[in-house]
Amino acid sequence: MKIISYNVNGIRAAMTKGLVEWLEAAQPDVLCIQETKAMQEQVDTKPFEELGYHIYWHAAEKKGYSGVAIFSKIKPNHVQIGTGIDYIDREGRVLRLDFDNVSVISLYLPSGTNIDRLDFKLQFCEDFKDYIKELKISHPNIVICGDYNICHEAIDIHDPVRNAKVSGFLPVEREWMTAFLDECNMIDSFRYFVKEPHHYSWWSYRANARNNNKGWRIDYNMVSNTLEKNMTRATILPDAKHSDHCPVLLELDV
């Protein structure tokens, strides 16, 4: 199973930059999308369906904001829209597909750009962690793909010193990520395979950051430790340029 996670920063804009053509070349079995910024009825999904994808969508109540989707060539056994936690689900941030041997979640974790949203983000993080701990009782094999809006370790950000007090690399956020991995028994699939620095998945549009590779690794495919031996490859795809993020890939033998 080839899984790709991609924050497209507006799916309609990404489609004008060649998203469909890229997807036809990349051919993932499952594509988890974040930040669709659209209701499903606002998007022409026919090009994706013609590539063989079943389309599943969870939009935010607020138009043009947030939203996740999953495009899957494999028809799932069950589709779960949202978490059942009202304030999370109103923002369209969690969508799950259950297959025979694995469940795949598309997650768009909030950013904490101001103090109100930081409090919201930290509450979301705690409630999401509890949700996953409970979910794993019935669904032990989970892959949680998405934009976590957190760099976990210093190796995951181009300038850990200057960004130490910036949301996305705050100690409290990084501590939550450690706790999430530990308490939910999850593996950061990219770091499982790749130990070297200078691999990022998001770059600011400012100061030519992408060309200078001054980025942040905030997009992850987190994998249940029960699937450790099923992981065959994980990588980042920085040459895909339809967004300020790039896709991140995971391959599982399931």
Side-chain angles (χ1 to χ4, degrees):
M1 182 182 275
K2 183 178 180 181
I3 302 169
I4 291 179
S5 182
Y6 198 176
N7 179 322
V8 295
N9 191 15
I11 191 166
R12 290 170 290 183
M15 289 172 73
T16 68
K17 300 172 185 175
L19 180 68
V20 175
E21 294 77 9
W22 167 81
L23 184 59
E24 185 175 15
Q27 289 288 326
D29 298 298
V30 180
L31 174 67
C32 293
I33 294 174
Q34 300 86 41
E35 211 168 356
T36 56
K37 294 185 177 179
M39 309 290 181
Q40 185 171 354
E41 57 269 21
Q42 294 177 299
V43 179
D44 178 12
T45 58
K46 188 176 179 182
F48 302 113
E49 291 160 5
E50 289 174 346
L51 293 176
Y53 289 98
H54 305 281
I55 309 294
Y56 305 96
W57 210 273
H58 182 27
E61 288 181 358
K62 181 180 174 183
K63 288 189 176 180
Y65 176 74
S66 188
V68 291
I70 302 179
F71 298 174
S72 177
K73 289 193 171 183
I74 311 157
K75 197 163 179 63
N77 301 324
H78 175 73
V79 179
Q80 186 65 46
I81 297 173
T83 60
I85 303 168
D86 185 59
Y87 80 91
I88 289 177
D89 295 344
R90 285 200 299 269
E91 295 203 351
R93 292 185 178 274
V94 182
L95 175 64
R96 186 181 93 237
L97 303 190
D98 296 331
F99 303 101
D100 287 348
N101 300 310
V102 65
S103 296
V104 178
I105 291 175
S106 184
L107 166 70
Y108 180 35
L109 206 148
S111 62
T113 47
N114 59 51
I115 190 65
D116 290 339
R117 289 303 287 183
L118 180 60
D119 289 344
F120 179 90
K121 178 181 186 176
L122 296 176
Q123 184 64 55
F124 182 110
C125 285
E126 287 304 314
D127 289 342
F128 182 75
K129 183 177 69 174
D130 291 343
Y131 166 76
I132 294 299
K133 286 165 74 172
E134 182 70 23
L135 179 64
K136 287 195 76 178
I137 296 169
S138 56
H139 298 72
N141 298 332
I142 303 177
V143 179
I144 308 172
C145 311
D147 177 1
Y148 285 66
N149 268 309
I150 298 171
C151 291
H152 186 203
E153 303 287 359
I155 193 176
D156 299 314
I157 191 167
H158 73 94
D159 191 342
V161 175
R162 291 185 186 176
N163 287 295
K165 295 183 179 180
V166 177
S167 179
F169 196 59
L170 296 173
V172 66
E173 295 168 313
R174 298 171 62 198
E175 287 162 10
W176 173 82
M177 183 74 87
T178 299
F180 175 73
L181 291 168
D182 290 347
E183 294 177 28
C184 296
N185 296 309
M186 303 296 291
I187 298 167
D188 176 349
S189 61
F190 179 77
R191 278 288 166 239
Y192 184 87
F193 290 99
V194 183
K195 309 302 183 187
E196 295 81 21
H198 313 303
H199 294 283
Y200 309 119
S201 66
W202 174 82
W203 301 262
S204 170
Y205 281 128
R206 301 174 188 170
N208 211 21
R210 190 161 189 164
N211 286 339
N212 294 320
N213 199 30
K214 293 186 174 181
W216 302 42
R217 191 174 74 93
I218 56 177
D219 301 89
Y220 302 83
N221 293 312
M222 301 298 197
V223 180
S224 290
N225 61 357
T226 51
L227 293 168
E228 178 180 0
K229 300 305 180 188
N230 303 84
M231 296 190 300
T232 58
R233 180 177 175 236
T235 191
I236 291 173
L237 306 173
D239 292 336
K241 295 180 179 178
H242 316 94
S243 168
D244 49 350
H245 294 250
C246 76
V248 294
L249 177 146
L250 167 71
E251 291 181 359
L252 288 175
D253 182 0
V254 291

